[in-house]
Amino acid sequence: MSLFTSNSNEFLPFSFNQSMRSLLPPFLVCLFFLALYYTLVIGGVVPSSDGINQRQVNHIKAERYIYSNLIPNIVLSGSSMTAELLEKYFDVTTVTNIALSGNSSKTGLELVTLQNKKPDIFLVELNYTIALETDLEIMDALKNPLLRIFKTYFPIFREEYQPVSVLVHYLKNSSGRNADSESSQITNQELRERLVAHIIEGSQETLSPDLKQRIIEESEVIKKQLAELQKKGVRVVLFNVPSEKRIANTPRRQQERLLIRSLFPSNSFEWLPEPITEDWITYDGVHLVSPDAKKFARFIQDQLIDSDQFNTGTM
């Protein structure tokens, strides 16, 4: 028995070295392709993806903002309603929209707080969506110091360069399909009317006591975050995205507006002026159709941005 044990130990180093040698070729091949992909990404040969689902789109937006070397003059934060105000709708190139679908301005506030380079103007959408939870999956990944260093120097590991999403993004573009929100808007008028009617029906009831209390509690947290940003020289402007009159005039929407305005009074906070009342059109009862989103983006620009100053990067 002792002889058998001795012989087994004798051959153990040989087996281990043999295993290591067998793993070396695939490791080197993997390393080669990673280096090649890194070179193609850095060289601009591999285009970035905007994401193939809502989760990835949100992650990409957040990562681009945190890892970008640019200092935007104006940043918009909010829910999917603000996300419709695409950056290309503005005439200046120093606008960044970090509004995330399924989220609220709370996640955007966290992103701006985390980013060392602060914007000159920070537009914050405020409405019932502030009752939603902050996206902890996004924030935990961005706050992880090791991941942040890794993704800063090796962009191939960011969401926008994941091979599958890059391939899908390329195929969509090459086939003439635009991946942005304009392509997903509803063109069937009958279906649109049903969706709008559903929103109106659900907005006839007033806010529940629990939701109202949640909004009040979250507003206190937001006020503290806004105050910290203002101390650092950020001009904070509050706003809400307009909606169709028949939706805006429902009991619930009117109650929400009055509640938010009482929590963030205009004598203490700067609000974006109300746009001229008109029949804003949504494609589902919530999100502005592209022409109206462009119109509201232009309204924001006219109210807050001097195009000459922002194009030259001076204030």
Side-chain angles (χ1 to χ4, degrees), residues 156-302:
I156 60 173
F157 296 106
R158 299 176 195 169
E159 287 285 341
E160 64 183 314
Y161 290 112
Q162 294 302 303
V164 172
S165 60
V166 169
L167 177 61
V168 171
H169 183 76
Y170 170 77
L171 292 175
K172 283 184 177 181
N173 287 341
S174 62
S175 64
R177 295 172 56 193
N178 195 329
D180 67 27
S181 63
E182 291 183 75
S183 65
S184 62
Q185 294 187 352
I186 296 171
T187 56
N188 185 306
Q189 185 64 22
E190 183 180 348
L191 178 57
R192 191 191 83 84
E193 286 299 323
R194 288 204 300 268
L195 291 171
V196 172
H198 178 73
I199 297 293
I200 293 174
E201 181 182 357
S203 300
Q204 295 305 314
E205 297 181 1
T206 57
L207 293 171
S208 68
D210 288 344
L211 180 56
K212 182 178 179 180
Q213 184 59 34
R214 176 73 175 167
I215 291 174
I216 293 173
E217 292 173 356
E218 291 303 323
S219 70
E220 294 304 314
V221 177
I222 290 173
K223 287 176 186 178
K224 293 178 182 178
Q225 292 175 306
L226 295 180
E228 288 300 315
L229 290 174
Q230 287 174 321
K231 288 179 182 177
K232 296 179 180 179
V234 179
R235 178 185 173 189
V236 176
V237 181
L238 311 182
F239 78 105
N240 192 17
V241 180
S243 62
E244 301 189 29
K245 286 182 182 179
R246 49 185 172 164
I247 293 176
N249 292 333
T250 59
R252 177 165 179 157
R253 291 300 172 90
Q254 288 183 328
Q255 184 190 14
E256 289 168 358
R257 182 181 182 281
L258 291 174
L259 176 60
I260 293 293
R261 287 286 184 162
S262 68
L263 295 171
F264 298 87
S266 56
N267 60 348
S268 300
F269 298 90
E270 180 181 0
W271 279 86
L272 185 75
E274 293 283 347
I276 297 174
T277 303
E278 60 177 276
D279 293 327
W280 297 94
I281 303 299
T282 65
Y283 60 83
D284 59 357
V286 177
H287 306 91
L288 293 175
V289 295
S290 296
D292 285 37
K294 292 176 184 179
K295 191 184 303 180
F296 187 56
R298 180 59 59 86
F299 172 79
I300 292 174
Q301 181 173 308
D302 291 342

Side-chain angles (χ1 to χ4, degrees), residues 38-174:
Y38 175 83
T39 302
L40 294 175
V41 166
I42 295 299
V45 177
V46 174
S48 62
S49 165
D50 292 327
I52 57 177
N53 53 49
Q54 179 178 299
R55 174 199 164 277
Q56 192 174 58
V57 169
N58 287 346
H59 275 261
I60 289 173
K61 266 193 176 184
E63 287 186 345
R64 282 178 178 171
Y65 179 69
I66 292 299
Y67 299 124
S68 173
N69 292 320
L70 299 177
I71 304 177
N73 290 113
I74 183 168
V75 169
L76 293 91
S77 173
S79 66
S80 57
M81 290 181 279
T82 296
E84 294 294 331
L85 308 178
L86 305 183
E87 293 169 6
K88 66 182 181 181
Y89 294 167
F90 296 85
D91 288 339
V92 290
T93 58
T94 51
V95 175
T96 299
N97 189 334
I98 57 172
L100 307 177
S101 297
N103 278 256
S104 71
S105 287
K106 287 162 54 182
T107 304
L109 274 163
E110 292 280 349
L111 289 171
V112 172
T113 300
L114 184 63
Q115 173 62 278
N116 293 325
K117 296 167 288 191
K118 306 302 182 194
D120 296 302
I121 301 175
F122 184 33
L123 268 164
V124 183
E125 174 197 323
L126 285 186
N127 48 43
Y128 65 93
T129 60
I130 65 173
L132 298 174
E133 296 290 341
T134 301
D135 195 322
L136 295 179
E137 182 183 356
I138 288 177
M139 296 313 305
D140 287 346
L142 292 173
K143 289 179 179 179
N144 184 307
L146 291 179
L147 280 177
R148 189 165 178 179
I149 291 174
F150 200 63
K151 290 187 176 184
T152 297
Y153 295 102
F154 300 99
I156 60 173
F157 296 106
R158 299 176 195 169
E159 287 285 341
E160 64 183 314
Y161 290 112
Q162 294 302 303
V164 172
S165 60
V166 169
L167 177 61
V168 171
H169 183 76
Y170 170 77
L171 292 175
K172 283 184 177 181
N173 287 341
S174 62

